[in-house]
């Protein structure tokens, strides 16, 4: 089958595990993948965008099953990742090392994260639609918001200085911070 859809496929990468997240480096030369972490390979890996070859494995002795659910690049050399091991980690891809980490205090998996590329990080957890606001200069979270009365994971979120939108099982919740100004 030589249709146009097959001609645009450049590479098929065997990830050796279930892939849960990908993020393209803002420099455009690599991308990161987050996997389930179930087959004794690092769940956070960097790939060459042109060749599809593995460039680096970012590893800190992840437990089996401690998969990476979300990834966000801060810059061409810094990325944030979160997942089932209850941590948000900041990685420097120049040295392939974890340079900072924040642990979810209630031992809940962290499904997603977003950052303002300055000091704020917002993370969504596995239970009760709980969202945490972190200041990267501090070890503990600054604030938490429960967005659901039922136990729904936060599958995705996005925020700006006035609003936070949270994707739950069957709803999207909006928190409006502009009402306090």
């Amino acid at each position: 089958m030589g249709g146009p859809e097959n001609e645009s496929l450049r590479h098929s990468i065997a990830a050796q595990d279930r892939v849960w997240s990908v993020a393209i480096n803002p420099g455009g030369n690599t991308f990161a993948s987050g996997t389930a972490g179930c087959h004794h390979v690092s769940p956070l890996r960097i790939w060459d965008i042109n060749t599809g070859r593995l460039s680096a494995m970012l590893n800190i002795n992840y437990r089996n099953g401690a998969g990476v659910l979300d990834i966000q690049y801060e810059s061409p050399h810094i990325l944030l990742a979160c997942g089932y091991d209850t941590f948000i980690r900041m990685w420097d891809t120049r040295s392939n090392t974890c340079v900072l980490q924040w642990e979810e205090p209630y031992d809940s998996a962290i499904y997603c994260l977003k950052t303002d590329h300055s000091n704020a990080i917002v993370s969504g957890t596995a239970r009760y639609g709980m969202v945490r606001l972190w200041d990267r200069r501090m070890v503990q979270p600054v604030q938490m918001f429960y967005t659901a009365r039922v136990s729904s994971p936060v599958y995705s979120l996005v925020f700006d200085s006035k609003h936070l939108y949270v994707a739950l099982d069957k709803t999207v919740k909006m928190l409006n911070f502009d009402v306090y100004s």
Side-chain angles (χ1 to χ4, degrees):
M1 292 199 224
E5 66 279 354
N6 291 336
E7 292 173 12
S8 62
L9 178 64
R10 293 185 66 186
H11 301 287
S12 181
I13 298 168
Q16 303 167 319
D17 206 349
R18 290 185 310 272
V19 179
W20 286 337
S21 56
V22 292
I24 294 177
N25 179 317
N29 55 344
T30 61
F31 72 95
S33 68
T35 64
C38 291
H39 296 286
H40 305 289
V41 294
S42 173
L44 184 56
R45 293 180 268 177
I46 308 295
W47 305 87
D48 182 281
I49 209 161
N50 293 311
T51 66
R53 290 192 182 120
L54 181 64
S55 297
M57 292 190 294
L58 305 181
N59 197 351
I60 53 156
N61 298 321
Y62 283 101
R63 293 184 328 260
N64 195 37
V68 172
L69 296 169
D70 200 7
I71 304 164
Q72 183 175 352
Y73 273 93
E74 286 282 284
S75 71
H77 302 292
I78 301 293
L79 66 84
L80 294 167
C82 65
Y84 277 118
D85 69 350
T86 74
F87 281 89
I88 298 170
R89 289 192 174 87
M90 179 183 286
W91 294 88
D92 187 328
T93 58
R94 293 168 292 204
S95 61
N96 296 334
T97 57
C98 176
V99 293
L100 287 171
Q101 64 183 17
W102 301 269
E103 185 174 14
E104 211 296 313
Y106 291 170
D107 198 38
S108 184
I110 302 174
Y111 270 45
C112 58
L113 64 85
K114 289 289 186 275
T115 175
D116 67 352
H117 300 286
S118 182
N119 291 315
I121 301 170
V122 178
S123 63
T125 65
R127 291 179 239 164
Y128 300 104
M130 189 175 67
V131 174
R132 289 201 188 272
L133 170 64
W134 302 82
D135 182 323
R136 72 178 67 219
R137 299 165 295 188
M138 303 172 74
V139 177
Q140 296 297 318
V142 175
Q143 196 167 0
M144 72 177 170
F145 306 96
Y146 285 98
T147 62
R149 294 178 193 248
V150 296
S151 186
S152 170
V154 175
Y155 291 109
S156 180
L157 56 84
V158 65
F159 74 99
D160 62 19
S161 62
K162 295 181 181 181
H163 300 95
L164 169 65
Y165 297 91
V166 179
L168 304 174
D169 274 341
K170 297 178 182 170
T171 60
V172 175
K173 300 285 184 163
M174 181 190 82
L175 282 73
N176 183 354
F177 303 114
D178 196 34
V179 296
Y180 301 111
S181 57

